[in-house]
Amino acid sequence: MSANPSRWAVDFSEYLRFEREAAERHELIDGEIVAMAGATRRHNLLCGRLHDALRAPLGDGPCILERADQRLAVYSAGKGWVGYYPDLAVYCTDEVHPDDKETRINPTVLVEVTNKSTEKKDRGVKLEDYLQINTLKEYLIVSHERRELELWTRGDAGWTRRLATEGTLQLKSGAMIDIEKLYVGLPS
């Protein structure tokens, strides 16, 4: 007899109730509430530099850039709603989840800076879930340990993947990310 994981899975409304009462942030991944890992100084510096690069081209709107404190709900085929806190997200509408006005939906750009405890999820389950968002144009995964940016871009023929390790990476939003400047002087 095998265990039925869905029997113990947490649904999105239960997750929201839990999250509203929790002192720390959690994500809802595959029906499981997962505590967020603390960020290193290196991670925070990378996020700050990426924020600066993404923010400027957005100007005065209508699109806005949100940081990691903003919860995102993603409707994933076969799973239903899942909840994440991407490091950075660009939203071009004010749409929120129908059950929670503090939870955003439908970003156009998502950025995750990996760390030791999240890299597999950022490149695995989150990638799978994020690429199902109809409004998403780009998903950028930034390595925390090596000069490497993995950019997933939606085109007419579907998603394409580009790996950048040097030079400048330009996003559809107009953001220009100089890879050398992004990583220079970071603590180990």
Side-chain angles (χ1 to χ4, degrees), residues 2 22 26 33 64 67 77 96 106 152 159 172 181-182 184:
S2 65
H26 301 80
I33 295 175
I64 62 165
R67 296 179 190 241
V96 294
N106 295 332
W152 289 84
W159 288 98
K172 287 182 174 185
K181 287 182 181 178
L182 180 63
V184 71

Side-chain angles (χ1 to χ4, degrees), residues 66-84:
E66 296 271 9
R67 296 179 190 241
D69 289 334
Q70 178 60 62
R71 184 173 43 248
L72 165 67
V74 177
Y75 191 81
S76 178
K79 299 178 195 176
W81 289 103
V82 294
Y84 295 118

Side-chain angles (χ1 to χ4, degrees), residues 70-128:
Q70 178 60 62
R71 184 173 43 248
L72 165 67
V74 177
Y75 191 81
S76 178
K79 299 178 195 176
W81 289 103
V82 294
Y84 295 118
Y85 287 91
D87 288 313
L88 296 165
V90 175
Y91 298 93
C92 295
T93 71
D94 289 330
E95 292 178 274
V96 294
H97 189 274
D99 296 336
D100 184 54
K101 65 180 179 162
E102 297 300 322
T103 303
R104 300 295 305 263
I105 58 173
N106 295 332
T108 59
V109 178
L110 291 172
V111 178
E112 293 284 6
V113 176
T114 67
N115 65 46
K116 289 178 186 176
S117 66
T118 67
E119 186 160 15
K120 286 183 181 179
K121 290 177 184 164
D122 294 337
R123 298 180 190 280
V125 66
K126 284 187 180 183
L127 172 65
E128 291 171 16

Side-chain angles (χ1 to χ4, degrees), residues 133-150:
I133 301 170
N134 290 333
T135 58
L136 192 68
K137 296 176 184 173
E138 294 175 303
Y139 174 39
L140 180 62
I141 305 170
V142 179
S143 174
H144 69 287
E145 60 184 0
R146 61 190 171 278
R147 290 180 184 190
E148 179 183 283
L149 282 68
E150 181 179 343

Side-chain angles (χ1 to χ4, degrees), residues 33-59:
I33 295 175
V34 179
M36 299 283 296
T40 64
R41 184 167 169 247
R42 182 180 179 92
H43 181 275
N44 288 337
L45 288 169
L46 282 167
C47 287
R49 292 174 183 180
L50 290 162
H51 178 276
D52 293 347
L54 271 70
R55 173 62 191 95
L58 297 177

